[in-house]
Amino acid sequence: YKARAENDFRSERDHLEKLIRLDPARKTEKLRLDLLKKKIAEEDFAILISKGLKAVDQRDIDAAKINLEKAQGVFSQRAELSLLKKNIERLDREMSLARAMSDANMAILKDDWGNAYQAFSKAKSIDPNNSEAIKGERFASELQARRQALDSYLDEPSRLSSKAVLAAAQQLLETIRHLTSLSPSLKARAEQLSRFISKATTSVRVVVKSDGNTEISVRRVGIVGKILQKAINLRPGNYTFEGKRAGYKSKLVNLRVPFDGAGIEIRIVCDEKI
């Protein structure tokens, strides 16, 4: 009775439970105990929901989830549970989005555009309308594609001996100029390709030797003439030298002029009579 007078429901409940254990026939006290348990449950539920919503406001998602779980243990079908759950889900999305964007920015600082792309993609999956995530994913994808394109030339620089390939490589350097300031690795690759292009467009000294009777020419390049020895300049690439002499079989000799070629010699003599 003292606890009831002081509106101390929990103390009253505890004493009633002890009383009923001593005298289970107490009907009035049993009804009162049932009423108290409902009031206390309502109070506990309200407190847990309040704490859960406060935790969401403080962005403490773990505390919010704990309070939701406890509240569900009190009443499992209340509308307040749905409200708290929606707020937790919203906070979870916001925090996941923030983490993904943070991961993307950290990857960019490390010049790790593969992970940056993945992080931006994750952020976009969380919020498909997030303009920063959309732009970041597109930019990271473009930069990765440009880097792969550079690597295709750097892995096989000999391809630059082809005029078409060389032109494509030069065009690529122009298109990535605005990206190199954002990626040290891309800049390093671009500079390396630029050096390869310079080598590919620098002529190499080739010494042609013959017998003075064979007419020598380089297909699609020009005539060397009848010489004993002559130095000509050719850009790196593949060439076909042709020797002709009246009364003798013509001769074709293929020559590959490499980058940084030095001491390259070729001898062409038509010495097989028809």
Side-chain angles (χ1 to χ4, degrees):
Y1 289 135
K2 180 177 180 293
R4 186 182 303 177
E6 294 174 353
N7 286 322
D8 188 346
F9 297 148
R10 297 173 193 276
S11 179
E12 183 182 356
R13 175 200 60 190
D14 294 342
H15 287 296
L16 284 173
E17 286 177 342
K18 291 178 182 179
L19 184 151
I20 292 169
R21 282 198 296 271
L22 293 170
D23 186 0
R26 294 269 187 163
K27 293 184 179 180
T28 301
E29 283 72 13
K30 284 184 177 179
L31 291 173
R32 175 65 181 173
L33 180 59
D34 289 340
L35 177 63
L36 284 176
K37 286 182 177 179
K38 290 178 181 178
K39 286 185 176 182
I40 292 170
E42 291 286 356
E43 185 179 275
D44 287 345
F45 183 79
I47 290 171
L48 290 168
I49 292 296
S50 178
K51 286 183 177 179
L53 292 172
K54 184 177 180 180
V56 169
D57 290 339
Q58 295 174 342
R59 302 184 73 77
D60 187 347
I61 194 166
D62 291 333
K65 288 179 178 179
I66 289 172
N67 282 286
L68 173 62
E69 185 177 352
K70 289 181 177 179
Q72 288 172 328
V74 179
F75 295 117
S76 60
Q77 301 296 327
R78 291 290 183 89
E80 293 90 333
L81 293 171
S82 178
L83 172 64
L84 178 55
K85 187 177 181 181
K86 287 180 179 178
N87 277 272
I88 290 174
E89 289 173 348
R90 174 183 55 78
L91 176 60
D92 196 14
R93 286 194 300 272
E94 289 177 0
M95 294 180 69
S96 295
L97 177 62
R99 282 194 299 270
M101 293 301 292
S102 176
D103 289 345
N105 290 322
M106 286 297 295
I108 289 174
L109 291 176
K110 295 177 182 178
D111 196 24
D112 185 353
W113 292 92
N115 281 330
Y117 175 82
Q118 292 179 4
F120 279 127
S121 295
K122 182 177 180 180
K124 196 177 77 169
S125 69
I126 296 169
D127 181 5
N129 296 318
N130 188 289
S131 59
E132 187 177 353
I134 293 170
K135 291 178 182 178
E137 182 190 49
R138 186 184 304 124
F139 186 82
S141 176
E142 178 186 4
L143 199 143
Q144 283 192 101
R146 299 300 187 190
R147 188 159 61 183
Q148 289 173 358
L150 283 172
D151 287 344
S152 70
Y153 296 113
L154 298 179
D155 291 342
E156 296 184 66
S158 60
R159 294 173 57 221
L160 296 171
S161 59
S162 163
K163 290 183 179 180
V165 174
L166 178 64
Q170 291 172 325
Q171 179 61 32
L172 175 62
L173 287 180
E174 288 298 319
T175 60
I176 66 171
R177 194 181 299 278
H178 68 292
L179 300 174
T180 54
S181 62
L182 302 173
S183 172
S185 62
L186 187 74
K187 182 179 180 181
R189 283 173 166 82
E191 290 174 347
Q192 187 178 1
L193 178 57
S194 182
R195 290 192 292 271
F196 280 148
I197 288 175
S198 178
K199 290 179 180 180
T201 55
T202 300
S203 295
V204 176
R205 186 173 182 269
V206 177
V207 176
V208 184
K209 295 181 177 181
S210 187
D211 58 359
N213 297 313
T214 302
E215 182 73 29
I216 299 173
S217 63
V218 184
R219 287 186 172 181
R220 295 187 297 278
V221 176
I223 296 173
V224 179
K226 294 180 180 180
I227 48 92
L228 291 175
Q229 179 173 309
K230 183 177 182 180
I232 61 175
N233 293 317
L234 296 173
R235 288 185 178 182
N238 296 314
Y239 296 90
T240 299
F241 285 74
E242 183 176 15
K244 292 182 179 181
R245 181 181 177 184
Y248 290 78
K249 289 183 178 180
S250 297
K251 183 175 289 187
L252 297 177
V253 179
N254 294 320
L255 176 68
R256 179 174 182 77
V257 179
F259 292 161
D260 298 322
I264 300 175
E265 293 185 359
I266 183 171
R267 178 177 175 80
I268 305 168
V269 175
C270 291
D271 52 8
E272 185 178 356
K273 290 186 177 182
I274 300 175

